[in-house]
């Protein structure tokens, strides 16, 4: 569908990438068309589906729908194409197997209009397993400061629930298509956005996230954990003012994400604590610093205690001895 140049740009562009999901994508589309906020366009981008999905997409006829077909590019590249095609000042994400409640867009637009420094706004989300509610939900923090802290370590947003300020995302370069950095393409982008903009979550359930279904972001094998550790280390290093390849930072990121194969040598717990507190000092003003200093100390205690207690000292000694024996067995001096 082609829109005339004279058509006024909508306030919101909903970007919905699709790949081989005929069973659920209809529900996602219908949840957008049922929104109480009406000033939107819906960009359906078929990323080279090989089943009956294209026929399902063509069943939906609405002047706000723009259907685009392309050869398979993958999620990050498809999202970037959506950003390029979008005409709205805000871009709302939606996954092909998820759906939103009718007030979602209205609530997000109202917040974004009232908070011009916010570039990323998610919502809470119910979790369904297939078609069955699990009784669980993603209830991430809502305020900018707590989210800035949490983004050092992990992703406190439901990607398919977020609304983005389009100009800010384009200025940041959009989603990374570098295979070494994505997936997680969402966490990678949020980590860059939060360095120059505010972020938030609406603390009400406005979305449904379907786990274990046919999301593009979950399709195919991926060394996801390795990239997650690398991004976490990069975030802590940036906040602490040290190099991204700092060994103590990388070790701490590996401990946070239970990735012992990324721990190199014996973590220096005292230096790591100093780096983490330096990150807090750089990120937060005085009225917030004390609170997040305590939060960081608790986080450090959780992961570094084995390296600081008397028992930890004995454990470190055994680890050094084992490393020495392994090195000798390999002929390494």
């Amino acid at each position: 569908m082609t829109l005339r140049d004279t058509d006024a740009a909508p306030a919101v562009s909903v970007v919905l990438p699709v790949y081989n999901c005929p069973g659920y994508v209809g529900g996602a589309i219908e949840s957008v068309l049922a929104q109480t906020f009406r000033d939107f366009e819906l960009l359906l981008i078929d990323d080279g589906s090989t089943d009956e999905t294209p026929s399902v997409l063509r069943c939906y006829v609405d002047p706000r729908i723009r259907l685009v077909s392309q050869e398979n590019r993958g999620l990050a590249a498809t999202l970037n194409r959506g950003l390029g095609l979008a005409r709205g000042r805000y871009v709302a994400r939606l996954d092909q197997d998820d759906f939103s409640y009718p007030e979602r867009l209205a609530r997000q637009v109202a917040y974004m209009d009232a908070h011009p420094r916010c570039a990323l706004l998610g919502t809470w989300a119910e979790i369904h397993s297939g078609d069955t509610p699990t009784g669980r939900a993603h209830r991430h923090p809502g305020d900018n400061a707590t989210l800035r802290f949490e983004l050092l370590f992990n992703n406190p947003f439901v990607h398919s629930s977020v609304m983005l300020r389009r100009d800010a995302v384009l200025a940041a370069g959009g989603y990374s298509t570098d295979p070494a950095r994505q997936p997680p393409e969402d966490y990678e982008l949020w980590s860059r956005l939060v360095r120059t903009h505010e972020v938030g979550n609406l603390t009400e359930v406005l979305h449904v996230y379907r786990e274990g279904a046919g999301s593009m972001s979950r399709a195919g094998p991926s060394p996801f954990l390795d990239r997650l550790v690398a991004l976490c280390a990069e975030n802590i290093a940036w906040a602490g003012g040290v190099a991204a390849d700092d060994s103590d930072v990388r070790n701490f990121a590996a401990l946070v994400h239970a990735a012992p194969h990324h721990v190199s040598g014996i973590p220096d717990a005292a230096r790591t604590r100093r780096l983490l507190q330096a990150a807090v000092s750089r990120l937060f003003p005085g009225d917030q610093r004390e609170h997040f200093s305590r939060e960081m100390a608790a986080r450090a205690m959780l992961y570094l205690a084995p390296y600081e207690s008397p028992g930890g000292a004995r454990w470190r000694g055994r680890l050094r001895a084992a490393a020495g024996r392994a090195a000798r067995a390999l002929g390494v001096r």
Side-chain angles (χ1 to χ4, degrees):
M1 177 178 296
T2 302
L3 294 178
R4 300 187 304 275
D5 292 339
T6 55
D7 286 347
V12 177
S13 297
V14 181
V15 175
L16 203 172
V18 185
Y19 178 75
N20 288 357
C21 190
Y24 287 121
V25 70
I29 294 170
E30 289 163 14
S31 78
V32 177
L33 299 179
Q35 292 293 305
T36 60
F37 184 87
R38 311 298 291 170
D39 187 17
F40 67 82
E41 63 179 352
L42 172 57
L43 294 171
L44 300 176
I45 307 179
D46 180 17
D47 188 37
S49 293
T50 58
D51 59 6
E52 64 270 30
T53 297
S55 298
V56 174
L57 299 180
R58 288 193 293 269
C59 290
Y60 290 90
V61 180
D62 186 287
R64 295 165 297 178
I65 292 178
R66 299 166 66 189
L67 176 58
V68 178
S69 298
Q70 64 184 30
E71 294 183 357
N72 185 262
R73 300 183 184 182
L75 181 57
T78 301
L79 290 173
N80 283 339
R81 187 171 189 199
L83 288 169
L85 292 170
R87 301 182 304 144
R89 66 182 180 275
Y90 304 132
V91 172
R93 277 283 293 111
L94 183 61
D95 279 348
Q96 61 188 12
D97 49 345
D98 297 342
F99 62 91
S100 296
Y101 289 124
E103 291 293 326
R104 175 197 161 186
L105 294 185
R107 296 273 204 277
Q108 288 182 304
V109 168
Y111 184 97
M112 296 288 270
D113 283 349
H115 298 81
R117 296 183 61 188
C118 181
L120 164 63
L121 180 66
T123 79
W124 285 357
E126 291 180 10
I127 300 173
H128 286 196
S129 178
D131 293 319
T132 305
T134 65
R136 296 178 287 116
H138 291 295
R139 291 185 171 89
H140 295 302
D143 64 289
N144 175 64
T146 303
L147 291 168
R148 284 173 65 83
F149 181 80
E150 292 299 330
L151 277 165
L152 292 174
F153 309 106
N154 216 325
N155 179 15
F157 293 90
V158 177
H159 189 186
S160 64
S161 80
V162 304
M163 180 172 283
L164 302 164
R165 197 172 297 274
R166 180 173 173 270
D167 288 348
V169 177
L170 291 177
Y175 291 88
S176 175
T177 57
D178 181 351
R181 297 183 65 80
Q182 58 82 33
E185 62 286 316
D186 49 353
Y187 182 42
E188 198 279 340
L189 176 56
W190 312 160
S191 297
R192 289 183 283 119
L193 275 179
V194 76
R195 297 177 187 180
T196 52
H197 295 81
E198 292 182 359
V199 298
N201 272 316
L202 296 180
T203 55
E204 55 182 318
V205 174
L206 296 169
H207 190 69
V208 170
Y209 168 82
R210 208 183 305 267
E211 64 182 6
S215 170
M216 288 175 64
S217 61
R218 291 187 291 271
S222 170
F224 186 93
L225 179 61
D226 295 347
R227 298 187 190 114
L228 190 59
V229 169
L231 290 170
C232 174
E234 184 179 290
N235 292 343
I236 297 170
W238 171 81
V242 298
D245 61 353
D246 184 277
S247 61
D248 287 319
V249 168
R250 290 191 64 86
N251 282 343
F252 189 74
L255 294 172
V256 167
H257 291 286
H261 58 292
H262 281 294
V263 176
S264 175
I266 305 298
D268 185 334
R271 180 175 181 270
T272 303
R273 284 180 178 275
R274 291 195 297 272
L275 288 173
L276 294 173
Q277 289 301 327
V280 170
S281 295
R282 287 166 58 94
L283 278 181
F284 299 103
D287 60 336
Q288 297 174 339
R289 190 171 298 155
E290 183 177 353
H291 169 74
F292 287 105
S293 180
R294 292 194 300 268
E295 290 292 315
M296 187 65 88
R299 195 75 55 106
M301 175 65 72
L302 180 63
Y303 298 108
L304 295 175
Y307 299 92
E308 296 180 301
S309 66
R314 291 191 296 272
W315 181 86
R316 292 196 303 273
R318 291 195 296 272
L319 184 59
R320 288 193 186 96
R325 290 193 298 272
R328 288 191 294 275
L330 294 171
V332 179
R333 297 291 184 267

